[in-house]
Amino acid sequence: MTVLPEPNAELTKMVHSLMPLSAVLGLEILEGSPDKVLARAKWSAERCTTGGVLHGGYLMAVADSTGAACASLSLPPGAIMPTIESKTNFFRGVTEGIIEIATAPVHIGRTVIVVQTDITNASGKLVSRTIQTQAVIVKK
C-alpha cells in the first residue's frame, strides 16, 4: 500500500459542494491538479452487496466523481462537462479497509476529455479501472 497524504479539506469541501453525491459516497480528496486527482474512501457495510463486498455501483460512482473532478480542472472558463460514456472493469472485491482512487487524463480535447480512474485496495492491488468520456460544453 502506498502512503497517502491526509485529505485536503479545501479540495474535499469544493468537490462535495459541486457534486453532493461525492459527500454521500464518503470521498476524501487528497490532491488535485489537471494532471491527477488522488482520493480515498473507506469500506462501509452500507456500501456493500452480498458477502460484505463493496458494491460495483458504488465503485463506479466513486470513479465517476473522481474522474469528473479531474476533468473539471482542465475545462475552459464557463464550460460544463457531463459524462457521456463510462466503462469499468472489475478485478477483485473489497471487503474491508480503504480504497485508493487515482484519476489521470488520457486525452484533453476541445470537445471531449477522457480520463482513467484506477481504484486499488489497501494492499495496493487493482480493484477496478474506469475509462470515462466527458463532453466539453462551452456556454455562450
Side-chain angles (χ1 to χ4, degrees), residues 14 23 34 43 51 57 65 91 101 111 116 136:
M14 181 186 74
W43 179 94
S65 297
F91 302 107
I101 306 109
T111 59
Q116 176 177 302
V136 176

Side-chain angles (χ1 to χ4, degrees), residues 14-56:
M14 181 186 74
V15 169
H16 288 180
S17 70
L18 294 171
M19 289 184 288
L21 177 63
S22 66
V24 173
L25 296 171
L27 200 58
E28 298 176 320
I29 308 301
L30 308 177
E31 46 181 87
S33 72
D35 296 329
K36 181 184 352 180
V37 169
L38 294 178
R40 72 175 167 214
K42 296 175 184 159
W43 179 94
S44 178
E46 57 272 356
R47 299 174 180 153
C48 292
T49 187
T50 306
V53 177
L54 279 181
H55 194 286

Side-chain angles (χ1 to χ4, degrees), residues 19 67-73 75 79-83 113 134-137:
M19 289 184 288
C70 184
S72 72
L73 296 170
L75 285 177
I80 60 170
M81 35 131 259
T83 302
I113 297 173
Q134 305 289 133
V136 176
I137 302 169

Side-chain angles (χ1 to χ4, degrees), residues 91-139:
F91 302 107
R92 62 183 33 84
V94 177
T95 57
E96 64 182 357
I98 292 174
I99 56 170
E100 301 171 3
I101 306 109
T103 300
V106 174
H107 171 75
I108 299 172
R110 194 175 45 80
T111 59
V112 297
I113 297 173
V114 179
V115 295
Q116 176 177 302
T117 301
D118 286 347
I119 297 178
T120 56
N121 63 18
S123 300
K125 293 185 178 179
L126 188 61
V127 171
S128 66
R129 174 168 286 163
T130 300
I131 305 286
Q132 73 191 65
T133 306
Q134 305 289 133
V136 176
I137 302 169
V138 180
K139 295 181 179 183

